[in-house]
Amino acid sequence: MRPSPEERERLAAVAGRIISWIEELMRAAGIGGEAVLVGSAARGTWLSGDHDLDVFIGVPEGSSLLPALEVARLVAPEFEERYAEHAYVHALFEGFEVDIVPCYLVEDASEIISAVDRTPFHSRYVSARIRGLEDEVLLLKQFMKGVGVYGSELRIGGFSGYLAELLVIRYGSFVGVLEGSSLWRPGEAIDLEDHSSRSHEDPLVVVDPVDPGRNVAAALTLDRMFAFAAASRLFLREPSLEFFFPPDLPPLPDEELREALAERRSTLILLEFAAPDLVEDVVFPQLRKAEQSVRALLERGGFSLLRSDADWHRAVPVRDDGVGATGPSDDVGVLRILLELEVALLPRVERRVGPPAWEAEHAKRFVASHPAPLSGPYIEGGRVVVEVARKFLRAEDILRSQVAGLSLGRHLGPSLRRGYKIYVGQEILEVRDPEFRIFIARYFSAREKVG
Amino acid sequence: MRPSPEERERLAAVAGRIISWIEELMRAAGIGGEAVLVGSAARGTWLSGDHDLDVFIGVPEGSSLLPALEVARLVAPEFEERYAEHAYVHALFEGFEVDIVPCYLVEDASEIISAVDRTPFHSRYVSARIRGLEDEVLLLKQFMKGVGVYGSELRIGGFSGYLAELLVIRYGSFVGVLEGSSLWRPGEAIDLEDHSSRSHEDPLVVVDPVDPGRNVAAALTLDRMFAFAAASRLFLREPSLEFFFPPDLPPLPDEELREALAERRSTLILLEFAAPDLVEDVVFPQLRKAEQSVRALLERGGFSLLRSDADWHRAVPVRDDGVGATGPSDDVGVLRILLELEVALLPRVERRVGPPAWEAEHAKRFVASHPAPLSGPYIEGGRVVVEVARKFLRAEDILRSQVAGLSLGRHLGPSLRRGYKIYVGQEILEVRDPEFRIFIARYFSAREKVG
């Protein structure tokens, strides 16, 4: 986890060379401003193996970002352009992956034009305070990684590197952060510079010391926050290396998948459709929304869900017939929503509880809208009740009949309507790509450090 | 429904003869007081076919009721003693069933010693006001009978005859009562003498005009109250004779019982045990309580109930093997609790939602109390969740294992622990006694006049 002295030296040398090279290119192009190394590499808080450098090209406010982007394109022969709020360049430079990001140099972080303009302020704030605490940050980041809460991307909803650094500054050490977080409750607020700014609704509020209106922990979900807090408590009581380096879950082989199904005896349904060609942070919120819509559809149909999960698998699915690449899309992978139901089949008779019997008009309309009940109408607990014939007895029939009509998010809806596949129960064994088999292994164990 | 002139004359003649005979016996025994015909027969509000007479022997306050009881025993050779608050005699006199009830003559109904002492006051109050409205009362009683809400015994929880009479006095006519009840809401209060006495919690409050502290409608349940109100509304819109004389439901034959099971595809479980040798008004509340306890037991086990019902069947059950009288008791009949479940079988995996993750001590204890979960612990919605192996997968296994340990009421618990029988699904076809087959026919149709 902690980089070796050689690794550190090598990173420092590469970072120095790339900054010099970009500054040379800027002078040649006649661009004012500066190139600056930001992020964990800049402050010695990067984890071994993460060979990523972040270089920002700052230009004066009011000028164009385009010349800086031109420069970024010239840094390395092997590069691609990517887009966040603005275009930036992802290049391969001496074996390191480097993000080269044009941004504006503003006076104060509260006056930024784009989110990336804030990064140099973060870098300066942390650099000035983290000296001597680098190892504490490294421990914390690796701990967060190990317990599955590291990363502020929407897929994870965990802690960003900057947030981890601020926590170490706040609590003074790795163990200090664990002790502090052990006592967290929802709505916990941390305000390093005593900005006492406007309130946030988020589970954890860490006021950005360089931009008081912003919550650094805005992307952290309630569940990740307390997965961390619970793991902290458990580690303080029973420390072990496993918190930092949990065993890898290998893809679940057929035999173990069969065993898990037999052990649970629930009904698993897998819904699979092509992922749209968009970045993760756009797709994941829609995927979670789709998961919720599908759950709600099944619950409206009378089915109880034990749990569900969703993921994006890039791998080309390999099927039972041995022919690879038969998934809905071979290009950008598939989205998968896994639903675990108590039962696959409901009885035909379905109870419908109507309005109170004394609401004459409502009661009349309710009875009229169920013209041929199996039983009823009768009055129970003061309400009009009828028992009618259920339309869909099987959960999969509801899905097949109605999933395409659901509101699934702007990009996922059209994608699903172009085609999807449903696997029920043992049919899930047909899905063989390793990413799915790791996903389902993790689903079955679903073990967090709580205790 | 309305007695014929001949029937009326005969009743009047018999009533006259029995009163004279009792008065003669009283004189002979040297008892002061008076014999008085009370109830519907006294005021011409009895339904044809109900050949019941109520004669009260009133003795002065402070004297003993025993001499009056002695007299009652001498009225007819064929009689049995029964017990309500006090002993009374049920005798057969010239083809009529006569209840002969000793009671105290008190000054004011609020000073009564036993509930029966109130009856002469009721009789006097109604007699003085019902002249000319007898047919309206008859219509109302038959209507209530037809829609299944007539009778204040606990098994029915409906309207007593006295309550029906008071409603006619209040609203002026049969149709007036229907119109008035159409607008009832829970907590409706009727106070004929403007006593504005203390409040009651009951769904319908009819202040007893002769005893303002008492609610005449105390035994009426919310559901029976609004079954009547809903039927009233429907009758006013679409009157028909069927409200008064609904078709009899014949015992459900095997073929139709099989069809109903196939149509519903739910899981029916029947629990059967011997009835204790006690009166209906003691047994029924305990039976309803037992029904609720069994429901709660199954629901704690994860099973969803569609509906349930319970009844007391006097008939000796006849079984599949053709041998009669093999039920739990041949003497006083059997109690039956019918439970309709969505499913018979639940998955092995069971979700247990624990305390919020930030309640450290609770969370720790919760995790420790589930040492070998199938999945988890994990945090969802801020709470600690584990998935464990369910103990009982079949509803009937829960019943067999735990029903005897339930709190089932003072007399029903011991009775059930002496022996019970459980029928599941198609096994219900083995239960052949006509009372059960009528009960289940009514359960399946369960149609009230609502619309």
Side-chain angles (χ1 to χ4, degrees), chain A residues 369-444:
Chain A
S369 67
H370 299 97
L374 296 183
S375 295
Y378 55 87
I379 294 168
E380 196 180 287
R383 289 182 171 269
V384 185
V385 178
V386 293
E387 297 174 6
V388 298
R390 191 188 300 277
K391 194 167 172 201
F392 295 107
L393 274 54
R394 288 182 184 280
E396 57 175 299
D397 294 341
I398 298 184
L399 274 188
R400 287 189 210 284
S401 147
Q402 295 181 17
V403 74
L406 285 182
S407 153
L408 295 172
R410 192 171 147 212
H411 304 97
L412 263 55
S415 173
L416 181 131
R417 280 187 280 282
R418 276 193 294 276
Y420 62 87
K421 200 156 162 31
I422 288 173
Y423 303 82
V424 180
Q426 299 280 334
E427 289 170 14
I428 284 172
L429 284 154
E430 296 169 28
V431 186
R432 297 201 141 154
D433 74 74
E435 268 187 290
F436 173 72
R437 292 300 183 96
I438 290 171
F439 165 75
I440 197 142
R442 200 172 290 138
Y443 178 89
F444 284 140

Side-chain angles (χ1 to χ4, degrees), chain B residues 34 66 78 91 122 176 204 208 211 217 223 236 261 293 389 404 411 439:
Chain B
E34 48 175 330
L66 283 179
E78 221 177 302
H122 290 168
L204 176 65
D208 192 339
D211 187 359
D223 289 348
L236 292 171
L261 294 176
S293 296
H411 305 98
F439 166 74

Side-chain angles (χ1 to χ4, degrees), chain A residues 182 184-186 222-224 226-228 230 233 237 262-267 295 302 304-308 340-343 345-351 357-360 363-364 367 373-384 387 390 393 443-451, chain B residues 182 184-186 222-224 226-228 230 233 237 262-267 295 302 304-308 340-343 345-351 357-360 363-364 367 373-384 387 390 393 443-451:
Chain A
S182 293
W184 284 352
R185 298 183 72 87
L222 180 75
D223 289 348
R224 292 293 81 71
F226 285 101
F228 174 67
R233 276 199 302 268
R237 210 166 64 228
E263 182 182 67
R264 300 173 79 82
R265 293 188 228 168
S266 52
T267 298
R295 284 184 69 112
S304 294
L305 277 106
L306 283 161
R307 192 151 46 107
S308 63
E340 187 174 17
L341 308 181
E342 281 208 336
V343 294
L345 180 74
L346 286 175
R348 187 153 169 275
V349 58
E350 180 188 358
R351 189 182 155 83
W358 48 88
E359 291 180 3
K364 190 176 141 192
V367 171
L374 296 183
S375 295
Y378 55 87
I379 294 168
E380 196 180 287
R383 289 182 171 269
V384 185
E387 297 174 6
R390 191 188 300 277
L393 274 54
Y443 178 89
F444 284 140
S445 78
R447 202 149 282 140
E448 291 181 336
K449 296 289 186 189
V450 186
Chain B
S182 294
W184 283 351
R185 301 183 70 87
L222 181 75
D223 289 348
R224 291 294 81 72
F226 286 100
F228 173 67
R233 275 200 302 269
R237 210 166 63 228
E263 181 182 69
R264 300 173 80 83
R265 294 188 225 170
S266 51
T267 298
R295 285 184 67 113
S304 294
L305 276 106
L306 282 161
R307 192 152 45 106
S308 63
E340 186 174 17
L341 309 181
E342 282 209 335
V343 294
L345 180 73
L346 285 175
R348 187 154 170 274
V349 57
E350 179 187 359
R351 191 181 155 82
W358 48 90
E359 291 180 4
K364 190 177 142 192
V367 171
L374 297 182
S375 297
Y378 55 86
I379 294 166
E380 197 179 285
R383 288 182 173 270
V384 185
E387 296 172 8
R390 190 188 301 276
L393 274 54
Y443 178 89
F444 285 140
S445 79
R447 202 148 284 138
E448 291 181 335
K449 297 288 186 189
V450 187

